[in-house]
Amino acid sequence: MAAHGIDEKKYRSIVAYINSNQEVGAQGGRAVFFKGADHSNVVAHEMMHTYGRPHTFDSAGTVYRDGYDIMGGMPNYSYTGTFDRTGVGVDAYNRSKVGWLPTSRRLVLTRSSTPRTKRVVLAAVDRPESNGMLLVELRQSDGTKLLIEFREKHGWDRGIPGDAVLIRRAAKHPVSYTHLRAHETGRNL
C-alpha cells in the first residue's frame, strides 16, 4: 500500500477487495475479500475480526458452529436477503466489546451484589428501541461470565428458528465463549 502513497498507520482497520480468486480472511486489523466471497455473511464476519473480535464456539467447543452469532461462522441461521444469504446479527457481547451497545443497556451482576432472585426485562438485541436490558452479565468468582441476551426472529435475526433467550459462557482466558442454551419461547426462562 505504501507503493500507492497510502500510510497504513493513519488507519485503525484496512479492508481490501481483490478482483481474483484468493483466500478471504482477517488479521491484525486488516480484512481481505476476493471475488465470489462477497456475501454479506463473509464480509460482516471478517469485518468483526478487524475490530478485534474472535470466533464464537458451540457448547462442545467447536469453532464455526454458533448459529446465533455472525462470529460463529457458517452455517448460521442466515436468510436470503435482497442480494444474497445474510444474517445472523452480531451478538450482544460482541456488540458491547466494540462499543455498539450502550452501557446503560447492560446489566452486570455478581454473586455478592445480587439478591438470590432478580427479575430482569430483556429487549431483543435487534430492537434497541424497546425497553429492557440488551445484555445481562453474571460474573462468577472464578472469572467466568454468563451472558444472557434475547434474540427475536426479526431484522438481521429473521433466519433464527424462533425467539430465543441465549445463555453463553465467557471464560476469563481465552476470550471465546460458548452457546449454552436457546430457550425457544423467548419469553420466560
Side-chain angles (χ1 to χ4, degrees):
M1 294 183 63
H4 298 285
I6 299 171
D7 182 3
E8 295 180 38
K9 295 175 186 160
K10 292 182 178 179
Y11 305 95
R12 176 183 170 181
S13 300
I14 297 173
V15 177
Y17 186 88
I18 301 170
N19 197 13
S20 67
N21 291 328
Q22 301 294 321
E23 186 60 51
V24 62
Q27 181 177 2
R30 291 163 173 74
V32 176
F33 305 100
F34 62 90
K35 182 179 177 182
D38 52 359
H39 296 288
S40 56
N41 268 348
V42 175
V43 173
H45 176 93
E46 298 304 332
M47 288 295 295
M48 288 304 292
H49 282 311
T50 70
Y51 292 120
R53 301 315 307 145
H55 292 129
T56 55
F57 300 79
D58 69 5
S59 58
T62 307
V63 71
Y64 291 131
R65 291 293 179 247
D66 179 359
Y68 286 94
D69 179 40
I70 195 67
M71 295 313 292
M74 282 35 103
N76 61 27
Y77 294 123
S78 60
Y79 61 92
T80 301
T82 304
F83 302 105
D84 64 1
R85 295 289 296 161
T86 193
V88 295
V90 178
D91 71 18
Y93 189 64
N94 276 323
R95 289 179 194 212
S96 73
K97 295 307 255 182
V98 297
W100 298 346
L101 190 129
T103 55
S104 63
R105 305 293 300 280
R106 178 179 175 195
L107 178 62
V108 178
L109 304 171
T110 62
R111 283 186 181 255
S112 61
S113 67
T114 308
R116 196 162 176 85
T117 304
K118 183 165 184 77
R119 182 182 174 99
V120 177
V121 175
L122 294 173
V125 173
D126 251 7
R127 290 205 187 249
E129 72 280 3
S130 300
N131 292 325
M133 290 293 139
L134 297 172
L135 175 63
V136 176
E137 183 179 310
L138 302 173
R139 293 185 180 172
Q140 308 295 303
S141 58
D142 66 356
T144 300
K145 300 172 188 173
L146 295 180
L147 308 164
I148 304 169
E149 67 182 274
F150 175 44
R151 301 295 280 273
E152 187 177 46
K153 190 176 174 71
H154 166 81
W156 284 100
D157 289 335
R158 73 183 100 166
I160 65 176
D163 296 349
V165 171
L166 304 180
I167 303 173
R168 301 172 186 271
R169 180 184 312 125
K172 189 172 184 179
H173 301 289
V175 179
S176 59
Y177 47 100
T178 302
H179 169 258
L180 293 177
R181 177 180 174 191
H183 184 67
E184 295 304 329
T185 67
R187 302 295 179 226
N188 295 300
L189 184 66

